Amino acid sequence: MEISPIGYVKNSVEEDTDFEDIVSEIVVLPEFAEGLYRIEESDELDIIFLFDRSQSYKMMVHPHHDPSQPEVGVFASRSPKRPNFLGLTRVKLLRREGNVLIVKGLDAFDRTPIIDIKPARRRDQTGKNHK
Amino acid sequence: MEISPIGYVKNSVEEDTDFEDIVSEIVVLPEFAEGLYRIEESDELDIIFLFDRSQSYKMMVHPHHDPSQPEVGVFASRSPKRPNFLGLTRVKLLRREGNVLIVKGLDAFDRTPIIDIKPARRRDQTGKNHK
C-alpha cells in the first residue's frame, strides 16, 4: 500500500534530544488544510510520522539505544528502526495558524514527513478519549 | 512510500459495533514474530492498522457518522475516510500465545491488516509513558 505525506515538521532539531519541551510546527500541505477545520477544539493530538532517517529495521533492539540494557523485540520498543518506519507521538496543540499547527512534545526532526493527525481529546471534556 | 502488513486481525466483527469489550487476536506474520519478544511486559499497546474497507476520503466529516452533528475537518476526527487510511487504537494486551496477541478494545474488523505495534506502557510501571 502507498502512503504519502500530508505535511511536514518545521523545527530546528537535527539530532536526538529531549523533545518534551520542544515546540515544533506541523505545516499541512495546502490541499489538506481544510481537514484541520475545528482541530483547535482538541488540546492533544496523535501524530503519525515517517522515520525518514531510518534505512533499515531490526527485529531486536536495545531500549533507549542503550547497549547495557537487554534487548527486546522491535514491537516491544518504540525504536525508529522498525518495519514500515512509522512514528507515533501524542503532542500538545498550542495553537493553529492557518495550515500550520504549533505543537509541543513532538519527537521528530526538522522536515520529517507527517502521515496523519488525529484528535486525542476535545478541549471541552477531560479524562476521557473521544473518537 | 510503501507500507506492508506485519499481521492481521482475527475476530468475528464484520460491521460497526461497540468495540470496547471485544476481544481480538492480532496474528503476527511468522517473519515478524521475533519482534514480539518481551511484549508481555506492556499492558497497553498502540496498534496502527489499515482502514482497508475505506475506498476514498473526505476533507469534512460528521462526527460519529451522525449527520445531525456539525461537520469537522477529517484531522479533527478519527473517521476511517481519511488520507492514508491509517487507524490507531490503544488496546489492552491480555496475553500472548506465540505469534498471536490477544487484545481487548481493538476497533477493527476481522482480517484488518496490522501495520505496527508499539508499547504504550510497561507492566512494571504505571501512570507514565515509556518509549
Side-chain angles (χ1 to χ4, degrees), chain B residues 32-83:
Chain B
F32 295 111
E34 190 187 358
L36 298 174
Y37 179 61
R38 289 179 59 194
I39 201 165
E40 316 78 67
E41 292 169 26
S42 297
D43 57 358
E44 290 191 319
L45 303 175
D46 288 330
I47 308 297
I48 299 177
F49 57 93
L50 194 74
F51 286 123
D52 63 333
R53 270 73 159 182
S54 291
Q55 304 293 326
S56 62
Y57 65 85
K58 299 194 290 188
M59 276 296 122
M60 301 283 279
V61 299
H62 294 282
H64 312 280
H65 317 284
D66 177 355
S68 76
Q69 293 202 35
E71 284 182 315
V72 299
V74 67
F75 301 123
S77 87
R78 297 179 73 101
S79 165
K81 293 180 179 275
R82 60 195 310 113

Side-chain angles (χ1 to χ4, degrees), chain A residues 15-29:
Chain A
E15 49 187 60
D16 227 348
T17 182
D18 178 0
F19 284 92
E20 206 170 308
D21 291 319
I22 299 272
V23 172
S24 299
E25 293 182 11
I26 294 176
V27 182
V28 172
L29 302 179

Side-chain angles (χ1 to χ4, degrees), chain A residues 4-5 7 12 26-27 37 40 45 50 67 69 98 100 105 112 119 121 129:
Chain A
S4 56
S12 55
I26 294 176
V27 182
Y37 180 60
E40 316 80 68
L45 304 176
L50 195 74
Q69 293 202 36
V100 178
T112 293
R121 220 163 35 193
N129 275 4

Side-chain angles (χ1 to χ4, degrees), chain A residues 64-118:
Chain A
H64 311 280
H65 315 283
D66 177 354
S68 76
Q69 293 202 36
E71 285 183 313
V72 300
V74 67
F75 301 122
S77 87
R78 297 179 73 103
S79 165
K81 293 179 178 277
R82 58 196 310 112
N84 293 316
F85 304 110
L86 293 179
L88 166 67
T89 307
R90 183 159 290 185
V91 303
K92 249 189 203 328
L93 174 60
L94 301 180
R95 62 187 188 279
R96 171 186 165 196
E97 293 173 4
N99 67 323
V100 178
L101 303 179
I102 292 91
V103 302
K104 192 165 130 175
L106 181 60
D107 52 346
F109 300 135
D110 192 35
R111 301 181 311 281
T112 293
I114 299 290
I115 306 301
D116 202 1
I117 300 169
K118 296 171 191 279

